[in-house]
Each structure stands twice: as C-alpha cells, then as structure tokens.
Amino acid sequence: MLFAPDTEVALRSVVNLINTAANGADSLASVEDLDAFLDAEEFTGSRTKSTAELSSIKRLRSALGALWSSDEDTAAKSVNKLLADAKALPQLVKHDHWDWHLHATTPEAPLADRMGTEAAMAIIDVIRSKEMERLRVCAADDCDAVVLDLSRNRSKLYCDTGNCANRAHVAAYRARKAAEGE
C-alpha cells in the first residue's frame, strides 16, 4: 500500500473532479450534475445546491488542476492556501460506512472548503512521501485528463476517462505492422 486508504480515495476523487473538465468537456454543467458527482464520490455534509456552490466547485476544480501538474514547492503552497482558506483543523472522525479517517472541516462547512481540504490533506501525503511524479497528465497526445499512478512500478501513463491506452496500443501495433511490411 502506497498511501492510506482514505488518502487514495481522496486522490481518486480529485482525479475524477479535475477530469470533469477534461478534453474540452464539462460534465459539471448543472447543480444536478454536481449532485450526481457527489453521490458517486460519496461526499457527505451540508449542501446549498445552488449555482454559487457549483461555481465554487468549478473554481476548486481549476485550482486542483493547476496543482496536479505543479512542482513540489508550488503544490505545497497551493495545499497550504486551501487549508488556510478553509480554516482547517484536522481531526479523526468515523461516519457512515467509513472507519477512522481525517477530516479537517466540519460537515457544515461550505462544500468547496470540504472538498478542497480533503484534496489538500491527501496531497500532503503525496508531497511528504516525495511522490509528486505519481500525479500526471494522460500520455495520449489528444487528451488532457489527469492520471493518478498508484502502480507499483510507476508505469500508469493513460487516464481512465476514455480509451486512451487502447488507442495508443492499437496505433503502436499498426505502426509495427506497417514497419514489418516495408
């Protein structure tokens, strides 16, 4: 295990959030889209279900996207800003079907603060473990989705948003076959 289970869950949620805007698409176009996203990611706590809340999540998505491909020092500054803005106070909690894990905001805090803080807490583990290279952008030339590489040998190159890996492997196969035919 590379990171604590709650850290991996949070990092995957960050990937899923950032990738809602991958490749020119926006799958968080409405409050209903945000509801569906939050249900899928199992985010709990208070909600306003407003367009202002949706806008705050889109701003968070943009900030996390920039953080994802930043260097360690910039990432640390971004994490500290997210935590300071949310007035984070880490504490162990147990709720719903989750065992003990860290929260640093109350369930009543604004959604963007809760999501940003959870992301920041997870990225703290990445930075402290000197594992920033596990946060990547998809290797496909036509894709800008992000990738979380939790593989043992640090070999994950392609995102999970589409079929980038399959397309790359088919193209490589065809190139090999074409070269053999010469």
Side-chain angles (χ1 to χ4, degrees):
M1 176 172 64
L2 184 63
F3 299 111
D6 59 324
T7 297
E8 288 187 14
V9 168
L11 289 170
R12 285 189 177 107
S13 289
V14 172
V15 166
N16 293 338
L17 177 61
I18 295 168
N19 286 344
T20 62
N23 303 315
D26 185 359
S27 60
L28 289 182
S30 68
V31 173
E32 292 76 23
D33 293 340
L34 179 58
D35 288 342
F37 175 83
L38 295 171
D39 287 345
E41 297 299 319
E42 299 184 17
F43 273 94
T44 59
S46 67
R47 295 276 317 283
T48 64
K49 297 189 181 231
S50 66
T51 55
E53 184 175 68
L54 176 61
S55 294
S56 69
I57 297 306
K58 287 183 175 189
R59 284 189 302 276
L60 173 64
R61 175 179 67 187
S62 180
L64 291 173
L67 186 157
W68 198 264
S69 55
S70 65
D71 63 78
E72 185 177 85
D73 290 342
T74 304
K77 288 176 188 170
S78 298
V79 162
N80 286 339
K81 181 173 178 10
L82 286 169
L83 294 172
D85 289 350
K87 298 172 182 61
L89 179 62
Q91 49 196 301
L92 281 170
V93 296
K94 187 192 278 191
H95 61 87
D96 301 321
H97 66 279
W98 300 101
D99 201 356
W100 290 110
H101 61 283
L102 278 174
H103 276 211
T105 58
T106 66
E108 298 78 31
L111 179 62
D113 286 351
R114 291 194 322 272
M115 290 177 71
T117 299
E118 187 169 320
M121 297 293 288
I123 294 169
I124 285 171
D125 283 352
V126 174
I127 293 169
R128 290 174 6 137
S129 300
K130 299 291 188 192
E131 296 286 355
M132 286 295 292
E133 70 276 0
R134 291 186 179 272
L135 311 182
R136 300 186 177 144
V137 175
C138 183
D141 292 335
D142 60 345
C143 184
D144 64 3
V146 298
V147 176
L148 172 61
D149 181 4
L150 295 176
S151 67
R152 195 178 229 187
N153 62 355
R154 294 174 167 80
S155 62
K156 185 169 180 166
L157 300 174
Y158 300 100
C159 70
D160 297 324
T161 63
N163 57 358
C164 293
N166 188 46
R167 283 185 295 115
H169 292 116
V170 167
Y173 171 79
R174 288 180 180 157
R176 282 193 309 276
K177 287 299 179 185
E180 289 172 4
E182 292 177 2

